[in-house]
Amino acid sequence: METFGRGCLYIIIGFGVLLFLAFITSSHIHIPFFIFIPLIILAFWAASKKTGKK
């Protein structure tokens, strides 16, 4: 459960950064699914490595 929570936190932080960039540049940011899905997987992979589980 700790990995899931940490992965969700990473995704929320990433979303916040993208929202901030869109606000600063006054534009829309379009991320296609073939880029978005690997980013989600990467966030949960990084979260699993952070917990130290083997």
Side-chain angles (χ1 to χ4, degrees):
M1 189 65 176
E2 182 179 335
T3 300
F4 180 75
R6 193 182 312 262
C8 288
L9 177 66
Y10 291 166
I11 291 168
I12 291 169
I13 290 172
F15 182 75
V17 169
L18 285 176
L19 187 65
F20 179 73
L21 288 173
F23 181 73
I24 294 297
T25 61
S26 299
S27 64
H28 294 112
I29 297 177
H30 299 281
I31 301 175
F33 281 108
F34 64 89
I35 294 176
F36 182 72
I37 292 173
L39 289 177
I40 298 295
I41 294 169
L42 182 66
F44 283 110
W45 177 79
S48 71
K49 292 296 180 186
K50 194 74 168 177
T51 58
K53 291 184 179 179
K54 295 180 182 177

